[in-house]
């Protein structure tokens, strides 16, 4: 973090736009300008570049590692086989473009202040919170309070994880206030997530607040925030993609199909086994066949392999990628209400989630009607002998939580929030966890480890350096 902010922004914009594989995701002349030819960057260019960076951070190697460490995906070859063996070093991790994107989001806010544009500032604040939330959830203590002034703080302190969460809530509160202003400058042409719709950005901010409260075990606040969050799939934050290689491919497709076919797959992973148990089972209200086929395809890489569905499912080149969604919002409400001891409200939220799945709407695509069944549950389904109580849990609360957690695990495939869940559920009370087997050994990977570049340049990196098996503070 010793590079100057201007240098960092210039390089990160160039890298994000020209090297990411998403450079023409959004055909906007502002983003096609040469950053090296200017001494200042306009708000439109910053917004476009930062949004590209933010989408990449939801489709990158970190997301794949999280999916492997959550047992959803398996690493089968080369570097990703090492990830499945939980073998990593500081060289495997990087804070670029994570912190450069966060820096761009902060600079957007500074520039928006200069022209009294509260809407754009609010969007920048939501983006900043999304990026730093990823950093702290995966790494624990991270720079935040001193992260964006390289001149004054060339080696920023690492804030305590709980303090970062508190600060992020304040950032999101400020974002909501700014997005509630009566007017702002138009930025619809640069906003490929919501097209300048500040109402949708505000709802996304509330859902992110709910996510962070869930992490911290503050279920009352999680419910309060989610109640104002994303209210339908039409409000989902999805990154758009297309069919041009090297230009606008979904990055999962680019990895699974183009660059590294066979390095990862679903053979040996827990997720397909779990989903198979919900097909033609005693739970006659649920059939996961359509979603299973949406996720998985047999024989794409070689005969008989269970591979990501890059043909006609979740991982095609033009598949929109979820950032934060209505489905997550409803499952936050469901789990929080269940933990607060209100099964009726928990069930109502779970059934809203299931109703949307039953309609076929799924992350910008439509599930097949064949094998798509998500009938509404009633509380008796979670009795000790109920059809939705496969573990024969003794109480309705435990059985309901198990179903909610199962739905979260299935829905959050290739979203790093699934890995957050696996670690969070070790602490959340009452303790309800899925029986996810380890790929190897007896230790579960509990965190990402600090990047080597940061270890080499910042004396404030926590010492002794935690390894991948040491829990982050909030999940201890």
């Amino acid at each position: 973090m010793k590079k100057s902010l201007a240098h960092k922004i210039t390089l990160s914009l160039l890298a994000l736009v020209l090297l990411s594989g998403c450079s023409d995701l959004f055909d906007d002349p502002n983003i096609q300008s040469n950053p090296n030819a200017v001494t200042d960057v306009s708000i439109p260019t910053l917004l476009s570049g930062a949004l590209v960076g933010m989408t990449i951070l939801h489709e990158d190697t970190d997301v794949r590692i999280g999916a492997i460490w959550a047992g959803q995906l398996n690493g089968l070859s080369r570097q990703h086989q090492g990830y499945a063996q939980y073998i990593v070093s500081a060289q495997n991790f990087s804070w670029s473009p994570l912190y450069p994107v966060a820096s761009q989001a902060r600079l957007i806010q500074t520039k928006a202040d200069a022209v009294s544009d509260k809407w754009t500032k609010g969007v920048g604040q939501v983006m900043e919170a999304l990026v730093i939330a990823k950093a702290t959830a995966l790494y624990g203590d991270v720079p935040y309070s001193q992260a964006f002034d390289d001149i004054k703080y060339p080696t920023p302190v690492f804030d305590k994880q709980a303090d970062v969460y508190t600060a992020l809530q304040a950032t999101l509160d400020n974002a909501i206030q700014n997005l509630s202003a009566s007017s702002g400058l138009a930025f619809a042409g640069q906003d490929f997530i919501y097209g300048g719709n500040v109402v949708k950005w505000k709802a996304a901010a509330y859902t992110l607040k709910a996510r962070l409260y869930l992490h911290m075990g503050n279920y009352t606040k999680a419910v309060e925030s989610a109640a104002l969050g994303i209210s339908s799939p039409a409000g989902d934050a999805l990154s758009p993609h297309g069919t041009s290689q090297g230009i606008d491919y979904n990055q999962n497709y680019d990895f699974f199909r183009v660059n590294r076919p066979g390095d990862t797959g679903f053979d040996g992973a827990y997720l397909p086994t779990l989903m198979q148990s919900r097909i033609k089972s005693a739970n006659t209200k649920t059939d996961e066949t359509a979603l299973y086929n949406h996720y998985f395809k047999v024989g794409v890489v070689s005969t008989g392999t269970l591979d990501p569905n890059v043909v006609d499912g979740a991982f095609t080149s033009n598949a929109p990628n979820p950032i934060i969604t209505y489905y997550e919002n409803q499952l936050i409400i469901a789990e929080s209400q269940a933990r607060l001891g209100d099964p009726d409200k928990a069930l109502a939220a779970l059934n809203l989630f299931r109703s949307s799945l039953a309609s076929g709407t799924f992350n910008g695509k439509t599930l097949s009607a064949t094998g798509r069944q998500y009938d509404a549950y009633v509380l008796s389904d979670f009795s000790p002998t109920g059809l939705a109580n496969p573990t024969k849990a003794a109480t309705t609360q435990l059985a309901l939580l198990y179903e909610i957690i199962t739905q979260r695990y299935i829905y959050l495939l290739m979203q790093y929030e699934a890995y957050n869940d696996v670690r969070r559920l070790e602490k959340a009370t009452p303790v309800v966890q899925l029986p996810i087997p380890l790929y190897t050994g007896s230790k579960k990977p509990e965190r990402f480890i600090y990047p080597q570049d940061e270890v080499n340049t910042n004396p404030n990196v926590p010492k002794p350096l935690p390894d991948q098996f040491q829990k982050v503070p909030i999940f201890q």
Side-chain angles (χ1 to χ4, degrees):
M1 287 194 177
K2 288 187 175 181
K3 296 178 183 177
S4 72
L5 182 60
H7 179 60
K8 179 187 294 180
I9 289 170
T10 298
L11 288 182
S12 61
L13 274 170
L14 183 63
L16 290 173
V17 174
L18 299 181
L19 302 180
S20 68
C22 294
S23 58
D24 287 333
L25 266 178
F26 328 107
D27 189 15
D28 179 352
N30 290 301
I31 202 171
Q32 296 169 6
S33 61
N34 179 5
N36 290 324
V38 296
T39 58
D40 194 13
V41 183
S42 68
I43 290 178
T45 300
L46 276 171
L47 184 62
S48 297
L51 283 171
V52 171
M54 187 184 73
T55 63
I56 291 169
L57 290 168
H58 287 80
E59 304 175 30
D60 61 4
T61 300
D62 288 348
V63 176
R64 288 193 298 277
I65 294 173
I68 292 170
W69 286 2
Q72 295 176 308
L73 182 71
N74 198 0
L76 303 174
S77 181
R78 293 188 281 194
Q79 188 174 36
H80 284 71
Q81 185 175 28
Y83 295 147
Q85 296 170 345
Y86 314 138
I87 300 171
V88 292
S89 72
Q91 299 284 358
N92 294 115
F93 301 97
S94 174
W95 281 353
S96 179
L98 195 153
Y99 272 95
V101 171
S103 294
Q104 291 169 32
R106 178 62 67 89
L107 186 57
I108 288 168
Q109 298 164 48
T110 301
K111 287 180 170 287
D113 276 337
V115 293
S116 300
D117 180 2
K118 291 185 179 296
W119 288 357
T120 302
K121 181 174 183 177
V123 171
Q125 288 170 316
V126 176
M127 292 167 61
E128 175 186 313
L130 275 165
V131 174
I132 297 299
K134 175 182 177 179
T136 190
L138 296 178
Y139 289 93
D141 299 350
V142 294
Y144 188 33
S145 62
Q146 297 180 358
F148 306 119
D149 188 341
D150 287 10
I151 302 302
K152 189 175 181 180
Y153 303 113
T155 57
V157 298
F158 280 59
D159 299 307
K160 296 297 183 184
Q161 188 179 32
D163 293 338
V164 177
Y165 271 75
T166 299
L168 288 172
Q169 292 288 1
T171 296
L172 288 167
D173 286 339
N174 289 332
I176 289 164
Q177 182 176 1
N178 285 320
L179 292 166
S180 301
S182 58
S183 63
L185 297 181
F187 55 86
Q190 291 73 46
D191 178 11
F192 51 80
I193 301 295
Y194 284 137
N197 188 321
V198 294
V199 173
K200 290 184 177 181
W201 275 108
K202 185 163 71 170
Y206 275 115
T207 297
L208 181 54
K209 283 177 66 66
R211 177 194 289 181
L212 299 179
Y213 280 129
L214 186 71
H215 287 187
M216 297 295 290
N218 191 335
Y219 304 118
T220 299
K221 286 289 189 181
V223 169
E224 290 175 358
S225 296
L228 298 169
I230 300 171
S231 59
S232 76
D236 288 351
L238 305 173
S239 56
H241 291 288
T243 57
S244 298
Q245 183 175 352
I247 297 176
D248 58 2
Y249 272 179
N250 180 298
Q251 295 299 285
N252 289 311
Y253 177 88
D254 193 60
F255 180 86
F256 291 144
R257 183 59 168 165
V258 179
N259 288 316
R260 290 289 186 268
D263 279 21
T264 59
F266 293 104
D267 286 316
Y270 175 68
L271 177 62
T273 301
L274 175 66
M275 294 185 71
Q276 282 283 7
S277 74
R278 295 164 66 82
I279 296 172
K280 296 181 180 179
S281 70
N283 184 346
T284 55
K285 292 186 174 181
T286 299
D287 186 352
E288 299 275 16
T289 301
L291 188 54
Y292 183 94
N293 292 334
H294 188 66
Y295 282 162
F296 314 126
K297 197 85 168 179
V298 175
V300 175
V301 174
S302 59
T303 301
T305 56
L306 187 62
D307 302 308
N309 187 344
V310 296
V311 178
D312 56 8
F315 307 112
T316 58
S317 67
N318 63 347
N321 195 73
I323 296 171
I324 194 162
T325 66
Y326 169 75
Y327 284 132
E328 181 184 350
N329 193 79
Q330 288 307 119
L331 291 174
I332 290 170
I333 295 172
E335 181 181 343
S336 297
Q337 293 286 22
R339 293 192 184 281
L340 290 169
D342 196 329
D344 291 319
K345 290 181 180 177
L347 183 60
L350 176 61
N351 279 336
L352 284 172
F353 167 88
R354 290 171 62 82
S355 176
S356 284
L357 272 184
S359 76
T361 300
F362 191 83
N363 295 343
K365 287 202 161 191
T366 302
L367 297 177
S368 170
T370 304
R372 189 183 78 215
Q373 183 183 6
Y374 299 95
D375 297 343
Y377 286 132
V378 295
L379 282 179
S380 61
D381 293 333
F382 301 96
S383 70
T385 58
L387 62 84
N389 188 355
T391 66
K392 306 304 178 185
T395 68
T396 297
Q397 183 190 38
L398 292 175
L400 185 54
L401 276 169
Y402 190 87
E403 175 66 16
I404 293 164
I405 288 163
T406 299
Q407 294 275 214
R408 282 181 62 89
Y409 185 79
I410 293 170
Y411 170 67
L412 291 170
L413 174 61
M414 300 311 296
Q415 300 177 60
Y416 61 82
E417 195 61 17
Y419 177 54
N420 291 338
D421 270 9
V422 168
R423 299 174 298 147
R424 174 179 65 83
L425 293 172
E426 297 171 351
K427 177 182 178 181
T429 55
V431 175
V432 178
Q433 296 176 272
L434 296 173
I436 305 168
L438 296 174
Y439 287 121
T440 188
S442 59
K443 291 183 178 181
K444 179 188 298 182
E446 297 282 356
R447 67 184 302 140
F448 287 10
I449 57 179
Y450 294 118
Q452 191 63 53
D453 285 348
E454 196 68 14
V455 173
N456 291 343
T457 61
N458 191 342
N460 293 313
V461 172
K463 296 180 179 63
L465 288 170
D467 66 19
Q468 63 270 36
F469 301 111
Q470 181 175 324
K471 293 183 179 184
V472 297
I474 65 166
F475 298 147
Q476 288 180 359

